[in-house]
Amino acid sequence: MAFPTFTGLVRSCLRPAGLALGVWLATVAAPALAQDKAPLTPEQRKAIVDLVRETIVKNPEIIQDALVELERRNTVAQAEAQRGAVAAEKARLVDPATSIIIGNPEGDLTLVEFMDYNCGYCKRAMQDVTALSKSDPKLKVVLKDFPILGPDSVEASRVAIAVKNQLQGPKYFDFHNKLMSVKGRINGAKAIEVAKDFGIDIERVRKDMDTPATKASIEDTVALGDRLGLTGTPAFIIGDEVVFGAVGEAALKQKLESVRRCGKTDCAG
């Protein structure tokens, strides 16, 4: 289930806006059509067109209002579709076979992050996730390798998934944070250099990163991201909501606290 990016929404707004305007025009003409079922004469059609043109020229904000309303409806529809997708994929979101679980594995609340090692905003969000996991002993954090920024990202994720076979919990999170802190583009070679610092079997890493299981793990997460309508990283799942971008520790904490309080990320909604 793929959803359009914001740019995609802007590009597609112009056509639906014409449709919305057409619906409005139909309501203008409806009374006349209801009173007289006979086809409109050419003169009547011209009169309606002239009236519409005059109305738009004198009130151009009509088009702008239609575009704004259309985007609002698209946003609401996208959020509703994503909530449905999140509910349907609850089990896969926390599947240990395709995830890294840190924090409290038995926590009463879960924060899922889809990330890419070459995403600058993911590097910024890493500090927020680290702070939340340390300050909230009941928080379960799930990391999902979502390498969407090219072959280097895929290589880095393959190494990270292979490292998971030897490091778990806090030790893996230390590796993850150090890898995320590397300057410049991160590829497989750089990821292996970081792994060496953790005293693990590098030959095993090299073998594990090329296994069908590693490939399947990445493919499964990418497919899951597509079904959730994830168009970028970082992307967080909190409760039934998808939160895009490095929104900051405070914003994430507020949503988490709301889920604990009322089961939703916005208790006022």
Side-chain angles (χ1 to χ4, degrees), residues 24-25 28-29 44-59:
W24 176 77
L25 295 179
V28 172
Q44 289 173 324
R45 291 181 180 276
K46 183 177 182 305
I48 291 176
V49 170
D50 290 344
L51 175 60
V52 170
R53 182 182 293 112
E54 179 183 357
T55 301
I56 292 176
V57 170
K58 290 183 178 179
N59 304 278

Side-chain angles (χ1 to χ4, degrees), residues 1 5 11 54 58 69 131 161 171 218 232 237 254:
M1 180 185 303
T5 61
R11 288 178 177 173
E54 179 183 357
K58 290 183 178 179
E69 174 60 16
I161 292 170
K171 289 185 178 180
I218 292 176
I237 311 297
Q254 182 273 319

Side-chain angles (χ1 to χ4, degrees), residues 90-102 112-115 140-145 160-161 164 167-168 172 217-218 220-221 224:
K90 282 288 186 183
R92 297 189 68 185
L93 283 169
V94 297
D95 181 2
T98 56
S99 310
I100 299 297
I101 298 176
I102 58 176
V112 181
E113 180 191 4
F114 285 72
M115 57 79 201
K140 177 180 180 179
V141 177
V142 179
L143 302 177
K144 309 284 286 186
D145 275 88
I161 292 170
K164 184 184 75 167
L167 297 179
Q168 297 293 325
Y172 181 89
S217 177
I218 292 176
D220 184 86
T221 299
L224 177 59

Side-chain angles (χ1 to χ4, degrees), residues 133-153:
S133 66
K134 289 182 177 179
S135 64
D136 190 340
K138 294 184 178 181
L139 181 64
K140 177 180 180 179
V141 177
V142 179
L143 302 177
K144 309 284 286 186
D145 275 88
F146 191 50
I148 59 174
L149 299 179
D152 286 349
S153 294

Side-chain angles (χ1 to χ4, degrees), residues 1-5 78 81-82 85 222-231:
M1 180 185 303
F3 299 97
T5 61
Q78 176 176 334
Q82 284 180 325
V222 171
L224 177 59
D226 288 342
R227 283 192 292 277
L228 296 175
L230 306 186
T231 55

Side-chain angles (χ1 to χ4, degrees), residues 12-191:
S12 64
C13 273
L14 296 177
R15 292 178 182 174
L19 176 60
L21 186 58
V23 172
W24 176 77
L25 295 179
T27 62
V28 172
L33 294 175
Q35 293 174 6
D36 185 2
K37 296 181 181 180
L40 294 175
T41 65
E43 291 77 13
Q44 289 173 324
R45 291 181 180 276
K46 183 177 182 305
I48 291 176
V49 170
D50 290 344
L51 175 60
V52 170
R53 182 182 293 112
E54 179 183 357
T55 301
I56 292 176
V57 170
K58 290 183 178 179
N59 304 278
E61 64 274 11
I62 290 174
I63 296 178
Q64 181 178 350
D65 291 346
L67 290 173
V68 170
E69 174 60 16
L70 180 66
E71 184 167 351
R72 185 194 69 78
R73 294 184 186 185
N74 282 343
T75 300
V76 170
Q78 176 176 334
E80 291 177 349
Q82 284 180 325
R83 280 193 291 270
V86 168
E89 302 291 353
K90 282 288 186 183
R92 297 189 68 185
L93 283 169
V94 297
D95 181 2
T98 56
S99 310
I100 299 297
I101 298 176
I102 58 176
N104 186 345
E106 305 300 326
D108 66 344
L109 191 59
T110 301
L111 172 68
V112 181
E113 180 191 4
F114 285 72
M115 57 79 201
D116 184 304
Y117 283 108
N118 284 304
C119 165
Y121 290 105
C122 295
K123 296 177 185 292
R124 185 185 305 176
M126 175 190 70
Q127 301 174 5
D128 303 327
V129 174
T130 300
L132 288 168
S133 66
K134 289 182 177 179
S135 64
D136 190 340
K138 294 184 178 181
L139 181 64
K140 177 180 180 179
V141 177
V142 179
L143 302 177
K144 309 284 286 186
D145 275 88
F146 191 50
I148 59 174
L149 299 179
D152 286 349
S153 294
V154 174
E155 284 186 10
S157 286
R158 286 168 56 208
V159 173
I161 292 170
V163 168
K164 184 184 75 167
N165 295 334
Q166 300 183 56
L167 297 179
Q168 297 293 325
K171 289 185 178 180
Y172 181 89
F173 196 38
D174 289 342
F175 162 79
H176 168 80
N177 285 349
K178 187 167 184 178
L179 182 57
M180 192 67 81
S181 300
V182 171
K183 302 296 183 182
R185 293 288 296 181
I186 301 175
N187 56 20
K190 287 187 177 180

